[in-house]
Amino acid sequence: MGLDSSASALPPAGAKATANVSVLNPRFGDSDPHEWTARTPFSYAVHGTDVSKYQTSIDWPKARDAGISFAFIKATEGGDRVDDKFAEHWRNARAVGIPRGAYHFYYFCRTAAEQARWYIDNVPKERGALPPVLDMEWNPQSPTCKLRPDAATVRSEMRIFLQMVEKHYGKKPIIYTSIDFFDDNLLAGFTDYPYWLRSVADHPSDRYGAHPFTFWQYTGTGTVPGIKGNADINVFNGSQATWRKWVAANTH
């Protein structure tokens, strides 16, 4: 799927992200809850979600009113796939004032430059959008790509993608990753970019050490009004006031 069938279906750019938080410190349900003790996700003021075609159509007003204050939306994968629901989610989240960014799922059988060009071809350069996101994780279930590059190659390819995307959008991209990928590829020293860390059984500081993070994905089995089935839920690492400043600085 190319640009004509996805990005061109989007409304004109320019809508302003509101950074409004309808519910501070929301506590969503969970179909497989973790018993949090110290440093719970519920102690964070600002929560959001990430979505793809698997969430099907979303009632964004209902999700926003329940406490979803931002969204990361799957846009592209590899060098030839656009998520079937990207245009719909991208348009409808903006329509209700939810700040949102687009993420790319990395595919190890395509070059970083090819994947960056694909993302750029399919994700609008839009004032009001959150920074681009590079999703880096192992995908052993892939039916088409079993490559598992060495850590130095992974970091080199990441940098190529991130630099190309930053140059195009004028925003420093965010890196999403998981504990095993972070450790396997020695990302503790890769500190030039903001991080969105997955950790569903412990606070990130217990799994990633002192590595800084901007977002924390704390569950993949959440229940969010307006979203069918299991939902990924995330927090912003800061107060409501810090969130407002961060959005203002990163949606130019």
Side-chain angles (χ1 to χ4, degrees), residues 1 5 52-53 74-75 81-89:
M1 190 185 303
S5 58
S52 68
K53 66 181 181 181
K74 184 176 182 180
R81 295 184 67 184
V82 176
D83 189 86
D84 293 342
K85 287 288 185 178
F86 172 59
E88 177 184 324
H89 292 331

Side-chain angles (χ1 to χ4, degrees), residues 104 112 115-117 119-120 131-133 159-173:
H104 174 82
Q115 294 188 65
R117 288 192 292 268
Y119 181 93
I120 289 166
V133 177
R159 196 169 295 281
I160 291 169
F161 182 100
L162 292 163
Q163 289 176 345
M164 287 179 64
V165 168
E166 181 176 1
K167 181 178 179 181
H168 178 79
Y169 294 95
K171 303 174 185 179
K172 187 170 283 293

Side-chain angles (χ1 to χ4, degrees), residues 4-245:
D4 289 344
S5 58
S6 59
S8 64
L10 298 169
K16 183 67 175 176
T18 65
N20 288 336
V21 178
S22 63
V23 180
L24 289 174
N25 303 91
R27 186 157 188 162
F28 294 100
D30 202 307
S31 65
D32 185 19
H34 176 70
E35 296 300 321
W36 300 98
T37 54
R39 292 174 295 183
T40 72
F42 319 116
S43 65
Y44 289 82
V46 183
H47 292 227
T49 190
D50 56 279
V51 299
S52 68
K53 66 181 181 181
Y54 297 109
Q55 280 68 47
T56 65
S57 294
I58 294 171
D59 186 333
W60 287 103
K62 184 178 288 188
R64 177 199 59 200
D65 294 345
I68 292 299
S69 298
F70 62 87
F72 290 114
I73 298 168
K74 184 176 182 180
T76 51
E77 179 175 336
D80 60 0
R81 295 184 67 184
V82 176
D83 189 86
D84 293 342
K85 287 288 185 178
F86 172 59
E88 177 184 324
H89 292 331
W90 189 250
R91 177 179 62 248
N92 292 347
R94 186 181 74 183
V96 299
I98 295 177
R100 79 281 191 263
Y103 75 86
H104 174 82
F105 187 87
Y106 198 85
Y107 183 76
F108 293 98
C109 293
R110 297 267 191 171
T111 68
E114 185 180 6
Q115 294 188 65
R117 288 192 292 268
W118 181 247
Y119 181 93
I120 289 166
D121 284 347
N122 287 283
V123 176
K125 184 177 181 180
E126 181 181 307
R127 185 175 180 85
L130 297 179
V133 177
L134 174 60
D135 180 347
M136 297 297 299
E137 52 189 305
W138 297 126
N139 185 20
Q141 284 77 42
S142 173
T144 58
C145 183
K146 303 300 183 184
L147 287 183
R148 193 180 174 104
D150 62 84
T153 299
V154 167
R155 294 193 304 273
S156 175
E157 290 292 284
M158 287 175 64
R159 196 169 295 281
I160 291 169
F161 182 100
L162 292 163
Q163 289 176 345
M164 287 179 64
V165 168
E166 181 176 1
K167 181 178 179 181
H168 178 79
Y169 294 95
K171 303 174 185 179
K172 187 170 283 293
I174 299 164
I175 298 169
Y176 169 90
T177 196
S178 58
I179 296 164
D180 59 341
F181 194 92
F182 182 90
D183 289 341
D184 290 344
N185 294 289
L186 308 176
L187 295 187
F190 197 91
T191 56
D192 296 345
Y193 295 88
Y195 274 76
W196 168 18
L197 299 177
R198 174 176 172 83
S199 183
V200 299
D202 287 296
H203 189 271
S205 62
D206 295 324
R207 294 302 183 100
Y208 298 88
H211 196 80
F213 65 96
T214 304
F215 296 93
W216 165 26
Q217 185 184 82
Y218 67 86
T219 185
T221 54
T223 55
V224 174
I227 299 179
K228 301 180 184 73
N230 288 335
D232 292 340
I233 312 179
N234 311 272
V235 299
F236 171 73
N237 187 15
S239 66
Q240 181 182 18
T242 305
W243 169 244
R244 292 181 182 278
K245 292 177 183 177

